[in-house]
Amino acid sequence: SQELEQSPQSLIVQEGKNLTINCTSSKTLYGLYWYKQKYGEGLIFLMMLQKGGEEKSHEKITAKLDEKKQQSSLHITASQPSHAGIYLCGADKAGTYKYIFGTGTRLKVLA
Amino acid sequence: NAGVTQTPKFQVLKTGQSMTLQCAQDMNHNSMYWYRQDPGMGLRLIYYSASEGTTDKGEVPNGYNVSRLNKREFSLRLESAAPSQTSVYFCASSGTGGYPGELFFGEGSRLTVL
């Protein structure tokens, strides 16, 4: 099993709806990263969170890291078809360059 | 600015054949990574290289070898391909400072082993 678990595995929403994707780690995270992947393409970096309680936003996407630094959520407000793709959380282990990813959440937005 | 370049983009192998996936980055990054992506499994780390001259095993290293040829290049070799190695392989690089930070990815190499 992977160290980073994401939920849900897949999500289908109507355009305009809000949604949340979660990423949970069994260990305290050093850095937590969110990426988006369009089908068949490479990953694009969205945001990085490092401090407990940190929250960042970019356009209609907001990411939070909990105080214990073991869980992060990605929230999309008023979803659009352009938000469709696979969202992955990633984390690097403190003191090493070992950089792992979660299981991914496949998002489909219906127009 | 090309970023991270992977070759080949597509490859079909027969069981037991060998091949090398090439990766090069032109961003002067210190660390480089190889991942595989299978349906429903996200990305799994195969090997990584924190800096030129070093390589370390990731989550799923069995059946693979790597070479950090120089700062720019990091290759992944399959010595005896197996159908279980059918996957999409991504190379990534990062880090001009003290920690990985954002990863920059190549476009992926789709490998099929028959």
Side-chain angles (χ1 to χ4, degrees), chain A residues 71-92:
Chain A
Q71 187 165 1
S72 178
S73 60
L74 185 84
H75 184 77
I76 298 177
T77 303
S79 58
Q80 301 169 349
S82 60
H83 287 127
I86 301 173
Y87 289 82
L88 295 107
C89 61
D92 56 356

Side-chain angles (χ1 to χ4, degrees), chain A residues 32-35 44-49 55-58 61-64 74-75:
Chain A
L32 189 286
Y33 309 85
W34 283 100
Y35 291 80
I44 302 297
F45 173 78
L46 295 175
M47 277 173 275
M48 176 177 75
L49 303 165
E55 179 176 323
K56 287 188 177 178
S57 294
H58 176 67
I61 300 176
T62 300
K64 301 178 185 179
L74 185 84
H75 184 77

Side-chain angles (χ1 to χ4, degrees), chain B residues 33-101:
Chain B
Y33 302 80
W34 276 106
Y35 294 90
R36 60 178 288 173
Q37 185 173 34
D38 304 303
M41 294 296 293
L43 286 176
R44 291 185 292 172
L45 180 63
I46 305 171
Y47 271 94
Y48 65 103
S49 171
S51 61
E52 184 179 357
T54 69
T55 60
D56 286 284
K57 294 179 180 179
E59 301 168 290
V60 288
N62 291 345
Y64 304 95
N65 285 303
V66 291
S67 296
R68 182 76 183 263
L69 303 169
N70 47 56
K71 191 170 185 179
R72 290 186 64 247
E73 298 172 288
F74 189 39
S75 63
L76 179 72
R77 183 160 178 85
L78 287 70
E79 291 291 350
S80 179
S84 60
Q85 294 178 305
T86 294
S87 190
V88 181
Y89 291 85
F90 287 97
C91 176
S93 71
S94 79
T96 54
Y99 65 95

Side-chain angles (χ1 to χ4, degrees), chain A residues 18-66:
Chain A
N18 302 336
L19 62 104
T20 300
I21 298 168
N22 294 302
C23 175
T24 302
S25 171
S26 56
K27 302 175 183 177
T28 300
L29 300 166
Y30 180 69
L32 189 286
Y33 309 85
W34 283 100
Y35 291 80
K36 178 186 175 185
Q37 182 182 27
K38 291 187 179 179
Y39 299 112
E41 299 181 11
L43 278 68
I44 302 297
F45 173 78
L46 295 175
M47 277 173 275
M48 176 177 75
L49 303 165
Q50 278 196 299
K51 300 175 184 176
E54 187 174 10
E55 179 176 323
K56 287 188 177 178
S57 294
H58 176 67
E59 296 180 343
K60 294 185 177 181
I61 300 176
T62 300
K64 301 178 185 179
L65 183 61
D66 74 338

